[in-house]
Amino acid sequence: MSGVSLAQSRVRDKKNIFNLEDIEMVQVPELFTQFISSFSGCMGGNPNAPIWLVVDHSARCPLPIDPEKVFANPVTNIDALKRALPTTCPCTKSVTRLINSITGNPEAETSLVFKPEGQEDKQPILMLSASPLCIGMITTNAWMEKPAVKTADGEVTMAKYTGLPSYRDFLNFLVAQRGQVFQAAVAEKSPKIILCQNILRANDYFKLFGADRKNVEANDFFLVAPVMKNDKEVRTLVFVTDMLGFGTGDMTPENELELQQAGNEFRHYAHDAFGDGWLGQFSGELLTLGK
């Protein structure tokens, strides 16, 4: 099984170094490394949008995984993610309300966020997956215990296939490898705000996007840190929040109000950092009323 060892990565590229406790040598298959180091598993939307949404799961795929089918065709170009977003996602209602609250559009108008095919450039968001592997499919324990990958020697666990013994090791590898790809995309596209799901993983998200972890602020709805340009100017704000992921059945009046309030807070932070016009063509009426 060919792959990339930790020692080899140190020689070739210091950026590929990641911390794995009590492990001297880790051999990760090249096929899996390339898959992780890509945009595979991301939902899509508008790569040129001012708002990026990041969730910590991807689409489920049946086990056991055939590496030659699942890992062999990584998505390496962010513009390949340009696609109309489906309105069938159970979280669409909460995403719509949050994004419309940020942009200043009527909260319940799904068509303002989820555009039909051919109108992708009008979508104000790009939706990414932090991991191309669905966490719901491979839990922390299953990573080490559940046969999940087909190999010539039979079905093996993800730990055995990847050489990454624990799920935490996988997350460290993911942040180091996928983070380089995501950071390059941010440098190219310069989204104004990135909203990440699951505040318990805030440190991982900040590392994933190269945010300044010495400059983190806390809000009732999120933690936020800036991504800086070389001249120390703020390029992007990375927010980590638990306000993403409400299903339709969870959309109580209290949740709707919280989403509206959270959206206002995201918008105010971005307005303070970037000034007028940071939303460009995606700005709704509410943003112009106070001017």
Side-chain angles (χ1 to χ4, degrees):
M1 183 183 295
S2 63
V4 179
S5 74
L6 184 57
Q8 288 170 337
S9 72
R10 284 181 176 143
V11 172
R12 294 190 322 199
D13 187 352
K14 291 183 179 179
K15 292 182 180 178
N16 285 338
I17 296 174
F18 54 96
N19 295 321
L20 294 175
E21 295 180 1
D22 302 322
I23 298 175
E24 294 182 358
M25 184 69 68
V26 174
Q27 191 78 18
V28 183
E30 186 67 31
L31 195 67
F32 185 73
T33 300
Q34 292 175 355
F35 176 67
I36 289 293
S37 307
S38 75
F39 298 102
S40 297
C42 294
M43 286 73 74
N46 179 11
N48 297 308
I51 303 170
W52 289 8
L53 281 143
V54 185
V55 296
D56 61 1
H57 66 272
S58 182
R60 293 175 181 268
C61 57
L63 297 180
I65 293 171
D66 184 340
E68 295 298 330
K69 293 181 180 179
V70 178
F71 302 150
N73 297 297
V75 180
T76 58
N77 180 5
I78 190 172
D79 289 315
L81 297 179
K82 183 179 177 180
R83 62 178 72 105
L85 291 168
T87 58
T88 54
C89 173
C91 299
T92 296
K93 196 171 183 180
S94 62
V95 170
T96 297
R97 277 167 163 71
L98 185 60
I99 298 304
N100 279 339
S101 180
I102 294 171
T103 59
N105 284 306
E107 287 87 349
E109 290 194 22
T110 305
S111 64
L112 296 173
V113 178
F114 295 85
K115 296 292 184 180
E117 186 175 356
Q119 297 186 36
E120 292 87 350
D121 286 336
K122 295 182 179 180
Q123 294 180 134
I125 62 172
L126 174 70
M127 297 184 71
L128 303 174
S129 291
S131 171
L133 293 173
C134 181
I135 290 176
M137 176 189 71
I138 302 174
T139 64
T140 301
N141 290 335
W143 183 268
M144 298 178 286
E145 299 171 0
K146 187 173 184 178
V149 183
K150 295 179 182 178
T151 71
D153 299 323
E155 297 177 8
V156 299
T157 65
M158 288 298 297
K160 178 71 173 178
Y161 170 75
T162 63
L164 301 166
S166 73
Y167 194 76
R168 182 69 254 179
D169 297 329
F170 164 65
L171 290 180
N172 289 338
F173 181 76
L174 172 74
V175 168
Q177 297 295 128
R178 201 165 172 89
Q180 295 178 62
V181 178
F182 279 22
Q183 289 171 40
V186 170
E188 175 190 356
K189 298 296 185 179
S190 290
K192 295 304 181 184
I193 66 175
I194 300 173
L195 311 180
C196 304
Q197 180 190 29
N198 191 346
I199 205 165
L200 295 178
R201 287 185 54 200
N203 193 49
D204 286 335
Y205 283 118
F206 290 146
K207 288 192 291 185
L208 188 70
F209 287 101
D212 181 2
R213 289 181 289 152
K214 294 181 180 179
N215 193 16
V216 177
E217 292 186 43
N219 180 282
D220 288 342
F221 297 106
F222 49 75
L223 297 174
V224 57
V227 175
M228 313 296 287
K229 295 181 180 178
N230 292 334
D231 57 5
K232 303 302 181 182
E233 180 183 355
V234 177
R235 170 192 286 129
T236 300
L237 291 175
V238 178
F239 297 88
V240 188
T241 180
D242 286 332
M243 298 306 296
L244 299 172
F246 287 11
T248 301
D250 301 321
M251 195 54 61
T252 64
E254 291 80 9
N255 285 344
E256 290 190 15
L257 178 59
E258 281 203 332
L259 284 167
Q260 182 179 4
Q261 293 172 334
N264 289 337
E265 289 296 308
F266 291 127
R267 176 159 51 92
H268 290 156
Y269 268 72
H271 187 78
D272 287 344
F274 307 116
D276 292 341
W278 69 273
L279 274 168
Q281 64 175 324
F282 305 100
S283 176
E285 294 181 0
L286 295 180
L287 281 177
T288 62
L289 290 178
K291 297 181 180 179

PDB file of all heavy atoms in Angstrom, residues 63-85:
ATOM      1  N   LEU A  63     -21.408   1.473   3.689  1.00  0.00           N
ATOM      2  CA  LEU A  63     -20.227   0.716   4.077  1.00  0.00           C
ATOM      3  C   LEU A  63     -20.360  -0.724   3.578  1.00  0.00           C
ATOM      4  O   LEU A  63     -21.479  -1.241   3.501  1.00  0.00           O
ATOM      5  CB  LEU A  63     -20.080   0.724   5.598  1.00  0.00           C
ATOM      6  CG  LEU A  63     -19.857   2.078   6.270  1.00  0.00           C
ATOM      7  CD1 LEU A  63     -19.737   1.903   7.780  1.00  0.00           C
ATOM      8  CD2 LEU A  63     -18.647   2.790   5.713  1.00  0.00           C
ATOM      9  N   PRO A  64     -19.272  -1.376   3.242  1.00  0.00           N
ATOM     10  CA  PRO A  64     -17.903  -0.879   3.285  1.00  0.00           C
ATOM     11  C   PRO A  64     -17.584   0.002   2.064  1.00  0.00           C
ATOM     12  O   PRO A  64     -18.161  -0.160   1.001  1.00  0.00           O
ATOM     13  CB  PRO A  64     -17.067  -2.160   3.287  1.00  0.00           C
ATOM     14  CG  PRO A  64     -17.896  -3.130   2.505  1.00  0.00           C
ATOM     15  CD  PRO A  64     -19.326  -2.822   2.870  1.00  0.00           C
ATOM     16  N   ILE A  65     -16.654   0.916   2.228  1.00  0.00           N
ATOM     17  CA  ILE A  65     -16.242   1.839   1.180  1.00  0.00           C
ATOM     18  C   ILE A  65     -15.268   1.142   0.234  1.00  0.00           C
ATOM     19  O   ILE A  65     -14.349   0.445   0.666  1.00  0.00           O
ATOM     20  CB  ILE A  65     -15.561   3.080   1.794  1.00  0.00           C
ATOM     21  CG1 ILE A  65     -16.577   3.894   2.599  1.00  0.00           C
ATOM     22  CG2 ILE A  65     -14.900   3.940   0.721  1.00  0.00           C
ATOM     23  CD1 ILE A  65     -15.944   5.013   3.410  1.00  0.00           C
ATOM     24  N   ASP A  66     -15.482   1.346  -1.060  1.00  0.00           N
ATOM     25  CA  ASP A  66     -14.521   0.913  -2.071  1.00  0.00           C
ATOM     26  C   ASP A  66     -13.627   2.103  -2.385  1.00  0.00           C
ATOM     27  O   ASP A  66     -14.073   3.068  -3.021  1.00  0.00           O
ATOM     28  CB  ASP A  66     -15.241   0.450  -3.333  1.00  0.00           C
ATOM     29  CG  ASP A  66     -14.294  -0.100  -4.389  1.00  0.00           C
ATOM     30  OD1 ASP A  66     -13.083   0.217  -4.324  1.00  0.00           O
ATOM     31  OD2 ASP A  66     -14.750  -0.816  -5.291  1.00  0.00           O
ATOM     32  N   PRO A  67     -12.374   2.114  -1.933  1.00  0.00           N
ATOM     33  CA  PRO A  67     -11.506   3.283  -2.125  1.00  0.00           C
ATOM     34  C   PRO A  67     -11.388   3.719  -3.575  1.00  0.00           C
ATOM     35  O   PRO A  67     -11.323   4.925  -3.859  1.00  0.00           O
ATOM     36  CB  PRO A  67     -10.155   2.812  -1.572  1.00  0.00           C
ATOM     37  CG  PRO A  67     -10.487   1.727  -0.619  1.00  0.00           C
ATOM     38  CD  PRO A  67     -11.680   1.034  -1.210  1.00  0.00           C
ATOM     39  N   GLU A  68     -11.361   2.770  -4.499  1.00  0.00           N
ATOM     40  CA  GLU A  68     -11.184   3.121  -5.904  1.00  0.00           C
ATOM     41  C   GLU A  68     -12.396   3.852  -6.466  1.00  0.00           C
ATOM     42  O   GLU A  68     -12.302   4.553  -7.467  1.00  0.00           O
ATOM     43  CB  GLU A  68     -10.911   1.860  -6.730  1.00  0.00           C
ATOM     44  CG  GLU A  68      -9.599   1.169  -6.390  1.00  0.00           C
ATOM     45  CD  GLU A  68      -8.385   2.056  -6.651  1.00  0.00           C
ATOM     46  OE1 GLU A  68      -8.450   2.903  -7.556  1.00  0.00           O
ATOM     47  OE2 GLU A  68      -7.380   1.895  -5.939  1.00  0.00           O
ATOM     48  N   LYS A  69     -13.541   3.695  -5.820  1.00  0.00           N
ATOM     49  CA  LYS A  69     -14.745   4.395  -6.266  1.00  0.00           C
ATOM     50  C   LYS A  69     -14.983   5.682  -5.481  1.00  0.00           C
ATOM     51  O   LYS A  69     -15.379   6.700  -6.051  1.00  0.00           O
ATOM     52  CB  LYS A  69     -15.962   3.477  -6.126  1.00  0.00           C
ATOM     53  CG  LYS A  69     -15.953   2.288  -7.062  1.00  0.00           C
ATOM     54  CD  LYS A  69     -17.206   1.442  -6.881  1.00  0.00           C
ATOM     55  CE  LYS A  69     -17.200   0.241  -7.828  1.00  0.00           C
ATOM     56  NZ  LYS A  69     -18.420  -0.616  -7.648  1.00  0.00           N
ATOM     57  N   VAL A  70     -14.732   5.648  -4.171  1.00  0.00           N
ATOM     58  CA  VAL A  70     -15.067   6.791  -3.313  1.00  0.00           C
ATOM     59  C   VAL A  70     -13.922   7.801  -3.233  1.00  0.00           C
ATOM     60  O   VAL A  70     -14.148   9.009  -3.246  1.00  0.00           O
ATOM     61  CB  VAL A  70     -15.449   6.307  -1.898  1.00  0.00           C
ATOM     62  CG1 VAL A  70     -15.740   7.489  -0.977  1.00  0.00           C
ATOM     63  CG2 VAL A  70     -16.668   5.396  -1.974  1.00  0.00           C
ATOM     64  N   PHE A  71     -12.694   7.323  -3.168  1.00  0.00           N
ATOM     65  CA  PHE A  71     -11.560   8.211  -2.938  1.00  0.00           C
ATOM     66  C   PHE A  71     -10.799   8.595  -4.209  1.00  0.00           C
ATOM     67  O   PHE A  71      -9.928   9.452  -4.165  1.00  0.00           O
ATOM     68  CB  PHE A  71     -10.565   7.557  -1.967  1.00  0.00           C
ATOM     69  CG  PHE A  71     -11.136   7.197  -0.631  1.00  0.00           C
ATOM     70  CD1 PHE A  71     -10.643   6.114   0.078  1.00  0.00           C
ATOM     71  CD2 PHE A  71     -12.172   7.942  -0.072  1.00  0.00           C
ATOM     72  CE1 PHE A  71     -11.160   5.773   1.318  1.00  0.00           C
ATOM     73  CE2 PHE A  71     -12.712   7.612   1.164  1.00  0.00           C
ATOM     74  CZ  PHE A  71     -12.203   6.520   1.858  1.00  0.00           C
ATOM     75  N   ALA A  72     -11.120   7.961  -5.331  1.00  0.00           N
ATOM     76  CA  ALA A  72     -10.252   8.069  -6.508  1.00  0.00           C
ATOM     77  C   ALA A  72     -10.455   9.341  -7.334  1.00  0.00           C
ATOM     78  O   ALA A  72      -9.617   9.661  -8.178  1.00  0.00           O
ATOM     79  CB  ALA A  72     -10.440   6.851  -7.399  1.00  0.00           C
ATOM     80  N   ASN A  73     -11.522  10.085  -7.113  1.00  0.00           N
ATOM     81  CA  ASN A  73     -11.786  11.261  -7.951  1.00  0.00           C
ATOM     82  C   ASN A  73     -12.003  12.499  -7.081  1.00  0.00           C
ATOM     83  O   ASN A  73     -13.117  13.026  -6.986  1.00  0.00           O
ATOM     84  CB  ASN A  73     -13.015  11.016  -8.834  1.00  0.00           C
ATOM     85  CG  ASN A  73     -12.795   9.878  -9.804  1.00  0.00           C
ATOM     86  OD1 ASN A  73     -11.932   9.949 -10.669  1.00  0.00           O
ATOM     87  ND2 ASN A  73     -13.589   8.824  -9.662  1.00  0.00           N
ATOM     88  N   PRO A  74     -10.951  12.999  -6.446  1.00  0.00           N
ATOM     89  CA  PRO A  74     -11.095  14.178  -5.585  1.00  0.00           C
ATOM     90  C   PRO A  74     -11.452  15.420  -6.377  1.00  0.00           C
ATOM     91  O   PRO A  74     -11.051  15.575  -7.539  1.00  0.00           O
ATOM     92  CB  PRO A  74      -9.700  14.311  -4.952  1.00  0.00           C
ATOM     93  CG  PRO A  74      -8.778  13.664  -5.934  1.00  0.00           C
ATOM     94  CD  PRO A  74      -9.555  12.526  -6.518  1.00  0.00           C
ATOM     95  N   VAL A  75     -12.228  16.303  -5.745  1.00  0.00           N
ATOM     96  CA  VAL A  75     -12.615  17.576  -6.367  1.00  0.00           C
ATOM     97  C   VAL A  75     -11.542  18.604  -6.018  1.00  0.00           C
ATOM     98  O   VAL A  75     -11.448  19.053  -4.871  1.00  0.00           O
ATOM     99  CB  VAL A  75     -13.995  18.037  -5.853  1.00  0.00           C
ATOM    100  CG1 VAL A  75     -14.385  19.356  -6.516  1.00  0.00           C
ATOM    101  CG2 VAL A  75     -15.043  16.975  -6.127  1.00  0.00           C
ATOM    102  N   THR A  76     -10.726  18.962  -6.985  1.00  0.00           N
ATOM    103  CA  THR A  76      -9.576  19.826  -6.717  1.00  0.00           C
ATOM    104  C   THR A  76      -9.811  21.293  -7.053  1.00  0.00           C
ATOM    105  O   THR A  76      -9.027  22.149  -6.645  1.00  0.00           O
ATOM    106  CB  THR A  76      -8.352  19.326  -7.498  1.00  0.00           C
ATOM    107  OG1 THR A  76      -8.661  19.293  -8.901  1.00  0.00           O
ATOM    108  CG2 THR A  76      -7.962  17.921  -7.047  1.00  0.00           C
ATOM    109  N   ASN A  77     -10.872  21.599  -7.785  1.00  0.00           N
ATOM    110  CA  ASN A  77     -11.145  22.970  -8.212  1.00  0.00           C
ATOM    111  C   ASN A  77     -12.384  23.494  -7.492  1.00  0.00           C
ATOM    112  O   ASN A  77     -13.467  22.931  -7.642  1.00  0.00           O
ATOM    113  CB  ASN A  77     -11.350  23.017  -9.727  1.00  0.00           C
ATOM    114  CG  ASN A  77     -11.627  24.418 -10.241  1.00  0.00           C
ATOM    115  OD1 ASN A  77     -11.588  25.401  -9.484  1.00  0.00           O
ATOM    116  ND2 ASN A  77     -11.909  24.524 -11.530  1.00  0.00           N
ATOM    117  N   ILE A  78     -12.237  24.563  -6.737  1.00  0.00           N
ATOM    118  CA  ILE A  78     -13.382  25.079  -5.982  1.00  0.00           C
ATOM    119  C   ILE A  78     -14.512  25.534  -6.895  1.00  0.00           C
ATOM    120  O   ILE A  78     -15.686  25.466  -6.539  1.00  0.00           O
ATOM    121  CB  ILE A  78     -12.951  26.226  -5.038  1.00  0.00           C
ATOM    122  CG1 ILE A  78     -14.103  26.575  -4.084  1.00  0.00           C
ATOM    123  CG2 ILE A  78     -12.476  27.445  -5.823  1.00  0.00           C
ATOM    124  CD1 ILE A  78     -13.725  27.543  -2.986  1.00  0.00           C
ATOM    125  N   ASP A  79     -14.193  25.973  -8.098  1.00  0.00           N
ATOM    126  CA  ASP A  79     -15.243  26.416  -9.014  1.00  0.00           C
ATOM    127  C   ASP A  79     -16.108  25.256  -9.495  1.00  0.00           C
ATOM    128  O   ASP A  79     -17.205  25.473 -10.019  1.00  0.00           O
ATOM    129  CB  ASP A  79     -14.633  27.162 -10.196  1.00  0.00           C
ATOM    130  CG  ASP A  79     -14.085  28.526  -9.798  1.00  0.00           C
ATOM    131  OD1 ASP A  79     -14.789  29.243  -9.058  1.00  0.00           O
ATOM    132  OD2 ASP A  79     -12.961  28.863 -10.193  1.00  0.00           O
ATOM    133  N   ALA A  80     -15.624  24.022  -9.307  1.00  0.00           N
ATOM    134  CA  ALA A  80     -16.441  22.857  -9.640  1.00  0.00           C
ATOM    135  C   ALA A  80     -17.602  22.694  -8.663  1.00  0.00           C
ATOM    136  O   ALA A  80     -18.533  21.925  -8.920  1.00  0.00           O
ATOM    137  CB  ALA A  80     -15.582  21.598  -9.635  1.00  0.00           C
ATOM    138  N   LEU A  81     -17.568  23.430  -7.562  1.00  0.00           N
ATOM    139  CA  LEU A  81     -18.654  23.368  -6.588  1.00  0.00           C
ATOM    140  C   LEU A  81     -19.819  24.286  -6.957  1.00  0.00           C
ATOM    141  O   LEU A  81     -20.838  24.299  -6.271  1.00  0.00           O
ATOM    142  CB  LEU A  81     -18.134  23.776  -5.202  1.00  0.00           C
ATOM    143  CG  LEU A  81     -17.064  22.883  -4.581  1.00  0.00           C
ATOM    144  CD1 LEU A  81     -16.638  23.436  -3.224  1.00  0.00           C
ATOM    145  CD2 LEU A  81     -17.546  21.442  -4.447  1.00  0.00           C
ATOM    146  N   LYS A  82     -19.669  25.054  -8.009  1.00  0.00           N
ATOM    147  CA  LYS A  82     -20.735  25.974  -8.411  1.00  0.00           C
ATOM    148  C   LYS A  82     -21.944  25.178  -8.889  1.00  0.00           C
ATOM    149  O   LYS A  82     -21.920  24.542  -9.940  1.00  0.00           O
ATOM    150  CB  LYS A  82     -20.234  26.893  -9.529  1.00  0.00           C
ATOM    151  CG  LYS A  82     -21.235  27.940  -9.964  1.00  0.00           C
ATOM    152  CD  LYS A  82     -20.634  28.826 -11.052  1.00  0.00           C
ATOM    153  CE  LYS A  82     -21.642  29.832 -11.567  1.00  0.00           C
ATOM    154  NZ  LYS A  82     -21.065  30.688 -12.633  1.00  0.00           N
ATOM    155  N   ARG A  83     -22.973  25.183  -8.078  1.00  0.00           N
ATOM    156  CA  ARG A  83     -24.177  24.439  -8.434  1.00  0.00           C
ATOM    157  C   ARG A  83     -25.361  24.981  -7.634  1.00  0.00           C
ATOM    158  O   ARG A  83     -25.182  25.592  -6.579  1.00  0.00           O
ATOM    159  CB  ARG A  83     -24.008  22.945  -8.158  1.00  0.00           C
ATOM    160  CG  ARG A  83     -23.780  22.582  -6.702  1.00  0.00           C
ATOM    161  CD  ARG A  83     -23.679  21.070  -6.517  1.00  0.00           C
ATOM    162  NE  ARG A  83     -22.445  20.540  -7.030  1.00  0.00           N
ATOM    163  CZ  ARG A  83     -21.425  20.152  -6.269  1.00  0.00           C
ATOM    164  NH1 ARG A  83     -21.521  20.244  -4.937  1.00  0.00           N
ATOM    165  NH2 ARG A  83     -20.335  19.677  -6.789  1.00  0.00           N
ATOM    166  N   ALA A  84     -26.542  24.760  -8.147  1.00  0.00           N
ATOM    167  CA  ALA A  84     -27.744  25.156  -7.424  1.00  0.00           C
ATOM    168  C   ALA A  84     -27.885  24.285  -6.182  1.00  0.00           C
ATOM    169  O   ALA A  84     -27.652  23.077  -6.232  1.00  0.00           O
ATOM    170  CB  ALA A  84     -28.970  25.017  -8.317  1.00  0.00           C
ATOM    171  N   LEU A  85     -28.247  24.890  -5.064  1.00  0.00           N
ATOM    172  CA  LEU A  85     -28.407  24.144  -3.820  1.00  0.00           C
ATOM    173  C   LEU A  85     -29.831  23.602  -3.712  1.00  0.00           C
ATOM    174  O   LEU A  85     -30.797  24.324  -3.968  1.00  0.00           O
ATOM    175  CB  LEU A  85     -28.111  25.048  -2.624  1.00  0.00           C
ATOM    176  CG  LEU A  85     -26.649  25.463  -2.475  1.00  0.00           C
ATOM    177  CD1 LEU A  85     -26.522  26.592  -1.454  1.00  0.00           C
ATOM    178  CD2 LEU A  85     -25.790  24.288  -2.076  1.00  0.00           C
TER     179      LEU A  85
END
